Amino acid sequence: EIVLTQSPGTLSLSPGERATLSCRASQSVSSNYLAWFQQRPGQAPRLLIYAASSRATGIPDRFSGSGSGTDFTLTISRLEPEDFAVYYCQQYDTSPPWAFGEGTKVEI
Amino acid sequence: EVQLVESGGGLVQPGRSLRLSCAASGFTFSSYWMHWVRQAPGKGLVWVSRISSDGSSTNYADSVKGRFTISRDNAKSTLYLQMNSLRAEDTAVYYCARELPHRYWGQGTLVTVSS
């Protein structure tokens, strides 16, 4: 079972700043089957990035994903007011359970 | 437009049962594997269960194995989660989501297990 550890737990930044979120897996994620989600209060999660670095349809290019193996990063190049939310990573390797990380809250 | 609409949540006593439904539209439901994901109040996302497109294969998180049953009716484009022997720790918003990676999610339905 792959366990995902996200850091930091909370990131306090200002609009226009760069955000760097980390997701570390307990073992290698094959084929880089790693996704990132954004969740705003009271809303369902929204897929941002899949396959570690591919942006989902309609996602602004200020969001980018990188990494491979066990270390993955979500970068938001310039924070917009609507980007203040909680971000989760999830591995979707071959076998269940398809765990999520604990989340990183990006706050003002 | 892809839509997933959950229903069936509510307040239930510990030890009782509840069945959640997820009505799908805007895509060929019978072609996709489907999942349930839950989120306890103020907590993170937890994967719960998955079912294959034809219903022949299922998987469960250890925390619900033996108590929850995932199923589907492809003729009705509906996904189900039968939850038995409910516990306080099952209190959560339950989301249905289309196959991995989860591009489409429902709005969620709240299940509260309390006496």
Side-chain angles (χ1 to χ4, degrees), chain A residues 9-57:
Chain A
T10 302
L11 201 50
S12 298
L13 296 167
S14 299
E17 290 194 298
R18 181 185 188 90
T20 303
L21 287 66
S22 173
C23 177
R24 179 161 292 176
S26 59
Q27 60 193 80
S28 184
V29 178
S30 65
S31 304
N32 291 334
Y33 284 155
L34 193 286
W36 289 94
F37 297 88
Q38 176 194 67
Q39 189 178 33
R40 297 174 179 141
Q43 295 187 14
R46 177 174 72 142
L47 178 67
L48 300 175
I49 301 287
Y50 64 96
S53 60
S54 297
R55 260 189 308 277
T57 304

Side-chain angles (χ1 to χ4, degrees), chain B residues 11-79:
Chain B
L11 175 63
V12 61
Q13 293 179 327
R16 304 297 291 266
S17 299
L18 205 60
R19 188 177 82 157
L20 305 182
S21 300
C22 169
S25 60
F27 65 101
T28 305
F29 180 72
S30 59
S31 296
Y32 291 88
W33 296 54
M34 297 293 295
H35 296 246
W36 288 99
V37 176
R38 70 183 181 183
Q39 186 171 37
K43 302 297 184 182
L45 301 168
V46 176
W47 174 81
V48 172
S49 184
R50 177 191 78 169
I51 188 167
S52 61
S53 56
D54 65 358
S56 63
S57 176
T58 58
N59 302 96
Y60 299 92
D62 286 345
S63 58
V64 306
K65 202 172 293 183
R67 299 188 299 122
F68 289 12
T69 302
I70 190 173
S71 63
R72 63 192 298 159
D73 184 335
N74 284 343
K76 295 183 178 179
S77 296
T78 302
L79 174 72

Side-chain angles (χ1 to χ4, degrees), chain A residues 2-107:
Chain A
I2 298 177
V3 176
L4 300 177
T5 301
Q6 291 188 241
S7 61
T10 302
L11 201 50
S12 298
L13 296 167
S14 299
E17 290 194 298
R18 181 185 188 90
T20 303
L21 287 66
S22 173
C23 177
R24 179 161 292 176
S26 59
Q27 60 193 80
S28 184
V29 178
S30 65
S31 304
N32 291 334
Y33 284 155
L34 193 286
W36 289 94
F37 297 88
Q38 176 194 67
Q39 189 178 33
R40 297 174 179 141
Q43 295 187 14
R46 177 174 72 142
L47 178 67
L48 300 175
I49 301 287
Y50 64 96
S53 60
S54 297
R55 260 189 308 277
T57 304
I59 301 304
D61 61 7
R62 64 180 181 273
F63 292 93
S64 64
S66 63
S68 64
T70 60
D71 289 297
F72 299 89
T73 301
L74 174 69
T75 301
I76 311 171
S77 59
R78 294 172 311 279
L79 283 164
E80 298 287 342
E82 61 268 27
D83 298 337
F84 291 92
V86 181
Y87 293 83
Y88 296 94
C89 58
Q90 183 195 26
Q91 64 83 15
Y92 54 103
D93 204 330
T94 51
S95 302
W98 294 284
F100 292 88
E102 323 96 306
T104 291
K105 182 178 182 180
V106 178
E107 65 176 21

